[in-house]
Amino acid sequence: MAQANPQAEHGKVVTVGRGHRPRRDHQTVAYLTNQLPFPDISGGQVREAQTLLRLAERFDIHLGIVTSEFERDLAALDEVSAAFASVTLAPNLGGTDPAAHRDRVGNPEFVRQWAQVVRSADLAHVEGYFMMPSLPRRAGLGVLLVEENIEFCLHRSFAGESGPPEATWHRTRREEIAAWRSATLVGAVTLEDVRAITQAAPDITPVHLPNGWDHLAFQPAGRRDAPSEANVLFTGNFSWAPTRDAATFLLNDIWPILRQAHPSCRLVLAGASPTPTMKRAARRDPRVRVTGQVPTLRPYLENATVYLCPIRFGGGIKVKLVEALYSGQAIVTTPSAMQGLGNRYDDAVLVAQTASDLAAATLTLLNDSRRRKQLAALASAAVPALPTWDEAAAQLGHAWNRAAENRREAPHLSLSIQTARSTPCLY
């Protein structure tokens, strides 16, 4: 295995690999993303870990990662690399674009080094349109571009909440559509996002690449007795803007209503990357607990009275909501959080939009154990309708084969490969 570059902290690129020869019966995939699949502390990481570990048995996968969490990902690199042909890790040097609410993605040295992987690949998989400028150009390379979220839709939704200039999401829309057209094949995680791509670019026929859920089946639910305290729970990776916004909305607008109406209830915010605002709230109010990153969310899910998910914008399937459904939670959430799940789950949750309505629904469940148990049973029964991870991985593998078979010289983005910096994904 290759040794980590001692100058990595200065922006150099670290590559580790098994050192094996390519398997003649396996296609080679250059997989480009902005995060290591482990630790799986976000929904995107869960999806990548579950699908890639399955497909590594059928494909030679070379991971290329330009990450804003370099130290975290570097610490897990050796453990992850055992499953893949190679892993190339680079820090994101793109800088910050305040107008975009997210770091720009890029590392020119990564692009130069990873060109060697791309030269021998049968196809490339790119996670998110904002990663396309970091893909070294190669004539005839089949490229599958997968959108976990439609970024301009996220930005447009966020504009409705915060009111940034309307032109910002229009810019994202133009660049995202250009990225789709530069790929051989475009995939989306939900049917809603498939439709959004088709509506925005009728010349593109995207494929549906759903999430699975059955990694949760290996974490059987604990006791389902009523917890001794009234705990309202929200979970997630709070570095993701929709989750961060939901936590702020919860603390500023919903929690004051709950705290006054139900003096014994407690609020738990569990997950990685809590914000300074969240930490200050926990210091000021002893009834608010902020955990930070935890090994597993199971104990928090098992001890919650109500799972409150007040996400106001976002695409894809919310893995946090699937986990709550599987755990048999009484759930209060928003229409935005339910996107991607379909209407078959509507009876298993209480849906509301405003802070006062979300608080009222939560209080109803805190005070009505019979209704909580009814919703918990419906939630547990609803989850198996989702695909398994074996099915999700099989569909992704089929898309890889299609991209490899239909390779062509796609028009490249008119963004600089010299600097490998895009106008970024916004969330």
Side-chain angles (χ1 to χ4, degrees), residues 105-235:
V105 178
N107 188 315
E109 180 61 19
F110 168 84
V111 177
R112 188 187 69 79
Q113 291 194 29
W114 216 53
Q116 301 175 43
V117 171
V118 171
R119 274 198 291 270
S120 61
D122 295 299
L123 69 137
H125 175 124
V126 180
E127 278 287 304
Y129 89 94
F130 53 94
M131 294 301 299
M132 287 291 278
S134 293
L135 178 67
R137 187 174 184 178
R138 198 198 86 189
L141 179 68
V143 177
L144 170 64
L145 170 58
V146 176
E147 298 279 49
E148 185 182 1
N149 306 283
I150 307 303
E151 304 296 340
F152 80 81
C153 292
L154 289 186
H155 195 202
R156 181 174 58 192
S157 179
F158 182 73
E161 295 292 340
S162 65
E166 184 180 359
T168 312
W169 73 261
H170 283 293
R171 182 188 67 184
T172 306
R173 183 180 185 275
R174 288 193 299 270
E175 293 177 359
E176 193 161 16
I177 292 174
W180 299 340
R181 288 176 173 150
S182 72
T184 310
L185 188 64
V186 178
V189 174
T190 69
L191 289 172
E192 288 93 332
D193 286 349
V194 167
R195 288 191 288 270
I197 293 172
T198 302
Q199 290 169 1
D203 55 312
I204 294 173
T205 304
V207 294
H208 181 212
L209 299 172
N211 277 1
W213 69 274
D214 54 320
H215 65 289
L216 301 167
F218 298 100
Q219 307 173 41
R223 61 171 178 77
R224 297 276 16 120
D225 298 331
S228 57
E229 295 180 329
N231 292 320
V232 177
L233 174 67
F234 178 49
T235 62

Side-chain angles (χ1 to χ4, degrees), residues 257-268:
I257 302 173
L258 297 177
R259 182 178 56 201
Q260 182 174 2
H262 200 299
S264 66
C265 77
R266 296 177 179 272
L267 174 63
V268 180

Side-chain angles (χ1 to χ4, degrees), residues 3-15 67 70-71 74 77 89-93 107:
Q3 296 296 313
N5 189 326
Q7 297 184 354
E9 64 274 17
H10 300 298
K12 299 299 182 182
V13 178
V14 179
T15 300
T67 176
F70 184 75
E71 294 303 325
L74 184 62
L77 188 57
L89 182 72
N92 176 24
L93 302 180
N107 188 315

Side-chain angles (χ1 to χ4, degrees), residues 32 72 163 228 341 345 348:
L32 180 61
R72 181 200 72 187
S228 57
L341 286 173
Y345 306 97

Side-chain angles (χ1 to χ4, degrees), residues 34 37 48 54 67 173 190 242 323 371 411 413 418:
N34 68 336
E48 290 187 287
R54 287 167 168 80
T67 176
R173 183 180 185 275
T190 69
E323 290 173 342
R371 182 65 170 139
L413 288 176
Q418 287 290 330

